[in-house]
């Protein structure tokens, strides 16, 4: 149980209770504060008031901010690759093939199930503290808040576009230079499971630069300015440089010309989009200091790059 007390500042006189709480306890979301008011967990001079009632200033506020379970999800003993952890923040390296959130067809064996086993208190946070997601077949760094205050801070940083998220992606085609794709993204008009560039979509901005070029492929470093679902995959396909292994946006599989037997086998066996969340930088929710983590490419992508490099010599 966490009981917070504070006196209403005189400058907030005349404001509604819910508005005062938002000003006095900015670490909590307005929706969470509203739910606590309705549950009678906010006392004003010892009395539970409705959120719309106005205050005179000087009242004593007592807030019962005890966390409550918000997920109906089982904890499962699934190994986690933890890159960093403290009392408020958790950074994990998600492997390809691991679903982040439970959903139809994947109620078990997800990252959320693993997180709840690692720290049962995460059950009191929205989505077990996860504030952004990676596709099932995308590997790399993912941040998890361990407190409601940290969750609000990370969500705010995402909204302000101050979090640095960089990815490494292997695309089909020989790029000549980096660039920016500034095209809105929305649901595909026919296939509702896919996204597409649409005029009436939401703003989406992707920056990319060259890392390494091969005969018919390019390794690029991608920096997200926005975070739309499948953004990198949609944008790269839109400019005709789809990700290797992308079975949704990559089009029909075609073996490149001048391909060695080893490369042909490697490409055939690479069954996921070649995308890895390599760098994550953010302002620590508690200390305010800028923190940054990097994670090298997983074995499957490193192997594919090595075979591509060998093919250059043939």
């Amino acid at each position: 149980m966490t009981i917070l007390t504070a006196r209403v500042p005189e400058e907030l006189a005349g404001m509604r209770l819910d508005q005062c709480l938002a000003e006095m306890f900015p670490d909590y979301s307005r929706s969470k504060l509203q739910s606590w008011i309705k549950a009678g967990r906010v006392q004003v001079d010892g009395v539970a008031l409705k959120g719309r009632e106005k205050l005179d200033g000087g009242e004593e506020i007592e807030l019962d901010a005890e966390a409550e379970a918000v997920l109906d999800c089982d904890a499962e003993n699934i190994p986690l690759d933890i890159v960093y952890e403290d009392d408020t923040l958790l950074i994990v390296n998600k492997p390809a093939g691991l679903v982040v959130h439970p959903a139809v067809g994947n109620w078990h064996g997800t990252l959320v199930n693993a997180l709840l086993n690692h720290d049962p208190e995460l059950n009191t946070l929205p989505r077990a503290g996860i504030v952004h997601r990676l596709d099932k077949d995308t590997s790399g760094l993912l941040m998890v808040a361990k407190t409601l205050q940290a969750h609000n801070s990370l969500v705010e940083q995402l909204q302000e576009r101050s979090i640095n998220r960089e990815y490494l992606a292997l695309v089909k085609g020989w790029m000549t230079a980096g660039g920016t794709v500034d095209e809105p993204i929305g649901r595909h008009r026919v296939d509702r499971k896919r996204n597409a560039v649409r005029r009436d979509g939401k703003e989406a901005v992707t920056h990319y630069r060259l890392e390494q070029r091969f005969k018919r492929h390019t390794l690029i470093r991608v920096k997200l300015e926005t975070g739309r679902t499948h953004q990198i995959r949609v944008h790269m396909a839109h400019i005709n440089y789809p990700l290797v292994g992308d079975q949704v946006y990559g089009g029909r599989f075609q073996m490149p010309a001048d391909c060695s037997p080893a490369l042909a086998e490697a490409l055939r066996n690479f069954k996921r989009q070649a995308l890895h969340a390599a760098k994550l930088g953010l302002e620590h929710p508690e200390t305010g200091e800028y923190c940054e983590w990097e994670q090298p490419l997983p074995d499957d992508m490193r192997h594919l790059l090595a075979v591509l490099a060998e093919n250059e010599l043939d």
Side-chain angles (χ1 to χ4, degrees), residues 193-252:
K193 294 182 180 180
R194 300 173 59 193
N195 283 342
V197 168
R198 292 179 49 164
R199 288 184 181 179
D200 59 348
K202 295 181 179 179
E203 180 189 15
V205 181
T206 303
H207 307 284
Y208 62 95
R209 67 175 189 266
L210 307 187
E211 286 281 318
Q212 188 175 3
R213 286 187 291 194
F214 304 95
K215 288 180 181 178
R216 301 182 187 278
H217 298 85
T218 307
L219 180 68
I220 59 174
R221 182 171 291 271
V222 182
K223 185 172 182 178
L224 287 181
E225 190 171 318
T226 54
R228 307 304 172 201
T229 301
H230 300 168
Q231 180 173 318
I232 295 173
R233 300 164 64 189
V234 171
H235 272 171
M236 291 301 106
H238 179 70
I239 62 172
N240 298 315
Y241 290 101
L243 270 61
V244 169
D246 194 335
Q247 300 180 36
V248 177
Y249 301 99
R252 185 172 60 86

Side-chain angles (χ1 to χ4, degrees), residues 7-295:
R7 190 168 295 279
V8 179
E10 295 297 333
E11 58 265 27
L12 299 184
M15 293 181 64
R16 293 163 40 132
L17 172 59
D18 53 2
Q19 296 170 331
C20 287
L21 290 181
E23 294 289 333
M24 296 168 63
F25 302 99
D27 287 337
Y28 300 103
S29 68
R30 288 177 180 268
S31 61
K32 176 58 69 175
L33 291 169
Q34 288 277 11
S35 69
W36 285 339
I37 292 172
K38 293 177 181 177
R41 292 167 63 169
V42 178
Q43 301 283 316
V44 181
D45 287 337
V47 179
L49 302 180
K50 293 183 179 179
R52 64 174 179 271
E53 296 191 46
K54 295 183 178 181
L55 303 183
D56 298 323
E59 293 94 339
E60 186 77 17
I61 300 288
E62 185 176 279
L63 171 62
D64 175 8
E66 182 180 10
E68 298 175 326
V70 295
L71 288 173
D72 182 16
C73 186
D74 295 328
E76 297 180 32
N77 188 15
I78 301 169
L80 284 173
D81 184 0
I82 298 175
V83 177
Y84 173 84
E85 184 175 18
D86 60 24
D87 292 338
T88 60
L89 184 64
L90 179 66
I91 306 295
V92 299
N93 178 34
K94 188 190 84 67
L98 180 65
V99 174
V100 173
H101 297 292
V104 176
N106 288 289
W107 291 116
H108 301 283
T110 72
L111 178 61
V112 167
N113 298 109
L115 288 171
L116 294 180
N117 181 74
H118 174 73
D119 184 355
E121 291 299 313
L122 291 174
N123 193 37
T124 64
L125 300 175
R127 295 179 178 269
I130 298 173
V131 295
H132 69 129
R133 65 185 294 274
L134 295 176
D135 294 333
K136 174 185 176 181
D137 290 327
T138 297
S139 58
L141 296 169
L142 188 144
M143 56 188 170
V144 181
K146 295 181 65 176
T147 67
L148 193 54
Q149 295 93 326
H151 186 275
N152 292 338
S153 172
L154 295 178
V155 169
E156 184 176 346
Q157 290 183 58
L158 282 171
Q159 293 172 342
E160 294 174 349
R161 302 183 183 180
S162 61
I163 289 181
N164 180 30
R165 289 174 292 166
E166 295 185 15
Y167 296 72
L168 288 172
L170 182 65
V171 300
K172 301 176 187 177
W174 197 81
M175 280 190 175
T176 57
T180 296
V181 183
D182 185 353
E183 296 286 353
I185 290 177
R187 287 292 183 190
H188 194 282
R189 296 185 186 279
V190 177
D191 186 350
R192 305 302 292 176
K193 294 182 180 180
R194 300 173 59 193
N195 283 342
V197 168
R198 292 179 49 164
R199 288 184 181 179
D200 59 348
K202 295 181 179 179
E203 180 189 15
V205 181
T206 303
H207 307 284
Y208 62 95
R209 67 175 189 266
L210 307 187
E211 286 281 318
Q212 188 175 3
R213 286 187 291 194
F214 304 95
K215 288 180 181 178
R216 301 182 187 278
H217 298 85
T218 307
L219 180 68
I220 59 174
R221 182 171 291 271
V222 182
K223 185 172 182 178
L224 287 181
E225 190 171 318
T226 54
R228 307 304 172 201
T229 301
H230 300 168
Q231 180 173 318
I232 295 173
R233 300 164 64 189
V234 171
H235 272 171
M236 291 301 106
H238 179 70
I239 62 172
N240 298 315
Y241 290 101
L243 270 61
V244 169
D246 194 335
Q247 300 180 36
V248 177
Y249 301 99
R252 185 172 60 86
F253 176 78
Q254 291 181 309
M255 193 63 68
D258 306 321
C259 183
S260 69
L263 178 57
E265 181 182 5
L267 290 171
R268 240 184 243 109
N269 291 331
F270 200 88
K271 301 297 186 181
R272 71 172 180 104
Q273 64 266 7
L275 183 61
H276 175 69
K279 182 182 288 188
L280 179 62
L282 54 88
E283 180 182 291
H284 193 281
E286 187 173 39
T287 67
E289 296 179 5
Y290 180 76
C291 303
E292 190 171 85
W293 299 270
E294 290 192 63
Q295 191 66 30

